[in-house]
Amino acid sequence: MSTPDPSIAPTDVGSAVKREYLEAIKLIERLHRQFLEVVKTELDRIGVEDINNIQALILFNIGEEELTVGELTNRGYYLGSNVSYNVRKMVENGYLVQERSTHDRRSIRVRLSDKGLALCGQIGDMFERHAGSLAESNIAPEHLNAASVSYRQLERFWISMLNFNLRGTIL
């Protein structure tokens, strides 16, 4: 067994990766909070007071589909929110229609009501305005694509970490 060459400093590379990794995590969290604030500001601008920013994003992600709450939970990115609670509130406020599945009576499906579709359209308009502003900024599509590639790589890394832990391997 050979001893490592002390002139090579693997900890330099490891510490650089750790530093950038932690910075990326902080940035992801900060960007998510800022994005939620942008959605809240849009809701305030259009005078919507009976739904919050997370609920508006849930509506937008449902779109014209009909989903179960489980499908919505698996698909969504609703950090720190209780999807079942939010669905119940959106049903109460008339944004969602909730029905039992005709195929599986235990399953409850949700879809947007007319009120929900109207708000979904307004959120879509907001994204259109954002895209127009981005097109006029110094953020090129390839920059956004490069960021998305990095986010997907991190996502796959975290999924692999979960899969390793599920198999009993501790890293």
Side-chain angles (χ1 to χ4, degrees):
M1 183 162 154
S2 65
T3 55
D5 183 352
S7 66
I8 301 173
T11 56
D12 291 345
V13 173
S15 64
V17 169
K18 179 181 176 184
R19 182 178 57 251
E20 293 303 323
Y21 177 61
L22 294 175
E23 181 62 26
I25 292 168
K26 287 181 204 172
L27 185 57
I28 290 166
E29 291 173 332
R30 191 166 63 236
L31 286 171
H32 184 71
R33 283 192 307 273
Q34 287 173 340
F35 174 67
L36 289 176
E37 192 58 36
V38 166
V39 174
K40 173 69 172 121
T41 300
E42 178 70 7
L43 293 173
D44 292 345
R45 187 186 72 76
I46 61 178
V48 174
E49 297 177 351
D50 60 346
I51 193 168
N52 66 36
N53 48 9
I54 300 273
Q55 292 166 351
L57 289 176
I58 292 172
L59 284 180
F60 185 79
N61 285 315
I62 294 172
E64 295 189 8
E65 295 184 63
E66 186 174 295
L67 304 169
T68 65
V69 174
E71 290 168 330
L72 190 56
T73 302
N74 290 336
R75 168 187 298 199
Y77 310 100
Y78 316 114
L79 194 65
S81 75
N82 180 324
V83 175
S84 296
Y85 167 81
N86 283 315
V87 165
R88 184 169 33 94
K89 293 308 274 183
M90 289 186 289
V91 168
E92 289 173 9
N93 289 326
Y95 289 98
L96 287 179
V97 175
Q98 189 173 337
E99 298 170 331
R100 289 218 176 269
S101 170
T102 55
H103 304 297
D104 180 355
R105 301 300 294 164
R106 298 168 296 169
S107 177
I108 296 178
R109 304 190 67 75
V110 294
R111 63 179 166 76
L112 272 56
S113 66
D114 289 341
K115 182 179 179 181
L117 285 167
L119 181 57
C120 184
Q122 291 176 299
I123 298 299
D125 292 345
M126 175 192 73
F127 287 133
E128 286 291 327
R129 286 194 316 277
H130 291 177
S133 295
L134 277 168
E136 297 171 6
S137 75
N138 63 350
I139 301 174
E142 51 272 10
H143 296 142
L144 292 171
N145 181 263
S148 294
V149 167
S150 294
Y151 300 147
R152 285 186 199 100
Q153 288 171 331
L154 267 175
E155 180 181 39
R156 283 191 299 273
F157 171 74
W158 287 331
I159 288 169
S160 74
M161 300 308 298
L162 292 172
N163 288 338
F164 282 129
N165 286 334
L166 289 175
R167 289 193 299 248
T169 303
I170 298 176
L171 300 175

